[in-house]
Amino acid sequence: AVVSTQSGHYGRDAKNNIPIIASVSEHQPTTWASFYFDLQLLVFMFPVGLYYCFRELSDANIFVILYSVTSIYFAGVMVRLMLVLAPIMCIMSGIGISTTLSTYMKNIDSGEHVPATVKNKKKAADYPIKSEIATVMVTIIAIFLTTFVFHCTWVTSEAYSSPSIVLAARGHDGNRIIFDDFREAYNWLKFNTPEDAKIMSWWDYGYQLTAMANRTILVDNNTWNNTHISRVGQAMASPEEHSYTIMKELDVDYVLVIFGGMSGYSSDDINKFLWMIRIGGSTPEGAHIKEGDYYSSSGEYKVDKDASDAMHNSLMYKMCYYRFGEVMTEQGKPTGWDRVRNQEIGNKDFELDVLEEAFTSEHWIVRIYKVKDLDNRGNK
């Protein structure tokens, strides 16, 4: 309990003070929707099991009560700790269902003749339709358990079994659309770049790049090196001139970004860009990067004509929206319409000075740029 409490305090402090920890989606507080989505019937049967444990206090019951209460608290702090909550939810719900069924099953009339004693007559008078009530309750629990099985099967197949590199969506006609852009891009890197090429991307894609493209990356999902990740964030958030200096310092050959403005893929780097700015500005080298500089004059995070100059001139903005201003993404919308942000981009007519486009996947989800070899720039 002491270790768990200390871990909880550390997790809260880290989330409040260290942007790299706060940026991880698994570290966000758990929503009520997530509780129900993952647990469904267990959400309702857990209090029943807790009630029965309180009714008959013993060493074992006190242990599971303490386990369940602390698990609920920590699962509410971080969504990843739902893994800690799941076992005790199953145990407590099992106790609740088992005790409830035991209570009602013995009241179901089995059809056997029971001697008409005074005691039996009195019980029959007190509960004239106890068999019918018991039958209804057992039937309801059986229905709930059946729906729980179907729910678990559906959640497992839809939410927890899909590979993260092959995306699927439904078209307007209901047909399934497969987005294989990640695998397409990783294969391109594997077969079209030198074996010793170094790839700069945000840390989310580090493990995938290493495993599938077999290329050296600067940062990966092992986020212990906050300073190194901050340096990549600074490169993404800076104008091209400054970014080129950082990329040469890190010996970068290619830069990879994820962009969803064409396909509607919302987990792209533009939506993660604020975290890159925060992490980039969290170290002394990035002291010049201020989050407020990337908001519009009205204090909004935008990519349209109202976006700030810092946003329009950042390397991330230019890599994602390069040539995008020429493309029509939706009927009745202007060219350069970002389908995720629902905005027309504000900077359409620009060229890249220090990068050249090397590869763009079929649905524009993955874009790869080669760093130009400009000998007279970026050297120390």
Side-chain angles (χ1 to χ4, degrees):
V2 173
V3 172
S4 296
T5 304
Q6 290 176 343
S7 300
H9 288 315
Y10 170 77
R12 267 200 313 274
D13 293 341
K15 282 200 297 180
N16 291 335
N17 299 304
I18 305 177
I20 184 64
I21 293 178
S23 70
V24 180
S25 59
E26 291 90 342
H27 294 167
Q28 305 309 310
T30 311
T31 63
W32 288 111
S34 295
F35 274 114
Y36 183 75
F37 183 77
D38 288 338
L39 303 171
Q40 207 232 16
L41 176 65
L42 305 186
V43 171
F44 306 106
M45 295 311 300
F46 173 83
V48 179
L50 196 63
Y51 166 76
Y52 284 124
C53 286
F54 271 111
R55 259 185 47 174
E56 299 178 13
L57 287 176
S58 63
D59 290 345
N61 285 353
I62 291 173
F63 171 76
V64 295
I65 289 169
L66 291 175
Y67 179 13
S68 59
V69 171
T70 53
S71 296
I72 285 179
Y73 169 74
F74 289 113
V77 173
M78 284 188 187
V79 67
R80 70 187 303 170
L81 295 181
M82 286 291 288
L83 292 173
V84 177
L85 177 63
I88 194 62
M89 288 292 285
C90 294
I91 293 169
M92 296 299 278
S93 299
I95 292 172
I97 291 170
S98 175
T99 310
T100 304
L101 284 176
S102 299
T103 301
Y104 285 103
M105 287 290 285
K106 62 186 179 185
N107 290 330
I108 295 179
D109 188 0
S110 62
E112 297 178 1
H113 177 69
V114 180
T117 63
V118 175
K119 186 177 180 181
N120 287 339
K121 286 181 179 179
K122 186 174 183 305
K123 289 177 70 176
D126 292 341
Y127 304 102
I129 55 172
K130 67 175 183 179
S131 179
E132 289 80 358
I133 292 175
T135 302
V136 170
M137 288 301 297
V138 171
T139 303
I140 290 173
I141 292 174
I143 292 171
F144 281 159
L145 290 173
T146 303
T147 59
F148 182 59
V149 171
F150 283 106
H151 176 80
C152 292
T153 305
W154 177 80
V155 168
T156 304
S157 63
E158 292 294 325
Y160 296 130
S161 296
S162 301
S164 58
I165 63 167
V166 180
L167 308 173
R170 297 284 179 185
H172 295 297
D173 56 358
N175 289 331
R176 194 177 182 89
I177 303 172
I178 301 297
F179 297 93
D180 201 16
D181 293 51
F182 284 96
R183 198 165 58 90
E184 179 189 348
Y186 297 154
N187 278 341
W188 184 91
L189 278 172
K190 186 174 184 178
F191 295 110
N192 294 277
T193 60
E195 290 186 2
D196 59 351
K198 298 178 183 65
I199 316 298
M200 185 177 82
S201 71
W202 194 231
W203 64 263
D204 297 38
Y205 327 110
Y207 285 162
Q208 289 183 359
L209 278 164
T210 302
M212 300 195 67
N214 194 25
R215 290 295 178 267
T216 302
I217 43 88
L218 298 184
V219 290
D220 60 23
N221 307 61
N222 181 9
T223 55
W224 63 271
N225 194 335
N226 181 58
T227 305
H228 212 51
I229 294 175
S230 175
R231 204 71 178 129
V232 173
Q234 292 159 27
M236 299 295 193
S238 299
E240 283 189 82
E241 292 285 335
H242 192 183
S243 297
Y244 187 79
T245 304
I246 298 173
M247 288 187 290
K248 280 303 178 183
E249 171 195 321
L250 298 174
D251 199 20
V252 175
D253 297 305
Y254 292 88
V255 187
L256 178 147
V257 291
I258 305 301
F259 173 62
M262 173 78 81
S263 62
Y265 178 60
S266 60
S267 295
D268 67 351
D269 283 341
I270 292 291
N271 275 357
K272 297 174 184 176
F273 188 41
L274 278 180
W275 285 113
M276 301 183 199
I277 294 166
R278 290 165 187 161
I279 295 168
S282 66
T283 56
E285 294 86 350
H288 62 285
I289 296 176
K290 307 294 183 184
E291 182 179 344
D293 294 341
Y294 295 83
Y295 291 116
S296 67
S297 57
S298 60
E300 298 176 275
Y301 180 64
K302 306 185 81 173
V303 298
D304 60 8
K305 59 181 175 55
D306 295 328
S308 66
D309 289 340
M311 184 69 178
H312 282 152
N313 295 323
S314 66
L315 186 69
M316 174 59 68
Y317 188 98
K318 289 189 172 183
M319 286 192 296
C320 287
Y321 292 121
Y322 179 62
R323 294 193 301 107
F324 187 67
E326 307 165 6
V327 180
M328 180 169 286
T329 59
E330 285 191 17
Q331 186 105 21
K333 300 293 184 181
T335 59
W337 182 261
D338 188 319
R339 297 180 62 197
V340 174
R341 268 65 56 176
N342 287 319
Q343 298 171 21
E344 179 187 0
I345 63 170
N347 189 5
K348 295 183 181 182
D349 187 19
F350 63 86
E351 292 295 328
L352 295 171
D353 297 324
V354 302
L355 299 173
E356 58 183 356
E357 184 179 9
F359 175 82
T360 295
S361 60
E362 180 182 357
H363 302 97
W364 284 48
I365 292 178
V366 184
R367 309 199 70 183
I368 301 171
Y369 294 88
K370 189 177 189 305
V371 180
K372 292 181 180 178
D373 187 15
L374 306 176
D375 292 334
N376 60 329
R377 301 166 69 181
N379 296 324
K380 292 187 176 180

